[in-house]
Structure formats: structure tokens, C-alpha cells
């Protein structure tokens, strides 16, 4: 086979690969993208759940309402929000959250433990 024929075959091969990949990306992003409907926070990955718990801790820092924090944490699927916060603390320490964030999570955990001990839900 001559070099010119080999070049043509190689060119058409690469062109078809790039066109196929381009059409696949176009189809997946524009024509028929994935749509998530009615998802809940309990379907988040552990790192995103830790972020969610941190946001709840930040809200608790302002509101000082353990019942509200408990309701927000119940969306993560565990009936005991204290366990949810403890899991988030473990995940946060593995991911290297800042000391201030770790303290917020710790305060939320302590507040929930006290609230449950005093007869929470």
C-alpha cells in the first residue's frame, strides 16, 4: 500500500472518530441531556452531604434552633441527625475542612445531642 493511500485511510479514520465523538457529545448535552427530577439530598455523595451538613451548621449558628436543624438534616435520610453530623465530621476531616468549619460542625453536633437528651422529637 502506498503512503498516500495509508494517509487517506488514517485521515478518514481520525475524522470519523472525531465526528462520532462530537455527535455523541452534542446528543448527550443538547438533544437529550440527563434531567434529574424530584431528587432528595440523601442521594448526594458523602462529600456533598458533608457540605450540606455544614450549611445546616451555618444556619444553626445564626438561628440557634435545633429543631430546625434536625428537620433539615432529616432530609439526608437518617432518623438520627446526630449520626448524620458525626458522619459529616468524619468526611470533613478526611477532606481537610478548615478549623472554623470543623468547629461549626462540632457545635451543631453538641447542640443536637443536648436537644435530644432534653426530649427532642
Amino acid at each position: 500500500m502506498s503512503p498516500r493511500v495509508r494517509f487517506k485511510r488514517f485521515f478518514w479514520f481520525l475524522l470519523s472518530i472525531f465526528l462520532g465523538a462530537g455527535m455523541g457529545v452534542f446528543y448527550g448535552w443538547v438533544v437529550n441531556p440527563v434531567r434529574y427530577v424530584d431528587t432528595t439530598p440523601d442521594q448526594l455523595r458523602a462529600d456533598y452531604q458533608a457540605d450540606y451538613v455544614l450549611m445546616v451548621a451555618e444556619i444553626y449558628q445564626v438561628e440557634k434552633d435545633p429543631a430546625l436543624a434536625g428537620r433539615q438534616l432529616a432530609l439526608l435520610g437518617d432518623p438520627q441527625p446526630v449520626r448524620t453530623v458525626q458522619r459529616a465530621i468524619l468526611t470533613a476531616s478526611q477532606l481537610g475542612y478548615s478549623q472554623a468549619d470543623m468547629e461549626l460542625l462540632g457545635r451543631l453536633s453538641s447542640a443536637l445531642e443536648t436537644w435530644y437528651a432534653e426530649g427532642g422529637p
Side-chain angles (χ1 to χ4, degrees):
M1 204 183 314
S2 74
R4 184 178 178 125
V5 172
R6 264 194 280 177
F7 175 76
K8 275 184 162 180
R9 290 181 78 186
F10 185 69
F11 171 77
W12 287 111
F13 172 74
L14 285 180
L15 183 66
S16 63
I17 293 294
F18 285 126
L19 282 176
M23 289 187 320
V25 168
F26 178 77
Y27 180 79
W29 285 357
V30 177
V31 176
N32 192 15
V34 175
R35 289 179 177 81
Y36 293 102
V37 179
D38 297 330
T39 58
T40 56
D42 65 330
Q43 296 175 349
L44 295 171
R45 289 188 332 221
D47 55 338
Y48 289 125
Q49 285 188 11
D51 288 340
Y52 180 86
V53 174
L54 178 60
M55 288 185 266
V56 171
E58 290 169 345
I59 292 169
Y60 173 76
Q61 187 68 21
V62 174
E63 300 292 328
K64 302 290 188 213
D65 185 0
L68 174 63
R71 285 192 305 274
Q72 292 170 334
L73 292 172
L75 294 174
L76 291 176
D78 193 335
Q80 302 233 344
V82 175
R83 283 195 305 223
T84 302
V85 176
Q86 291 168 347
R87 275 195 311 271
I89 289 172
L90 290 174
T91 302
S93 66
Q94 292 170 349
L95 295 174
Y97 278 34
S98 71
Q99 186 63 32
D101 290 344
M102 296 300 288
E103 289 173 6
L104 279 174
L105 291 171
R107 283 194 288 267
L108 177 61
S109 179
S110 297
L112 289 173
E113 287 173 1
T114 303
W115 182 60
Y116 273 97
E118 293 174 351

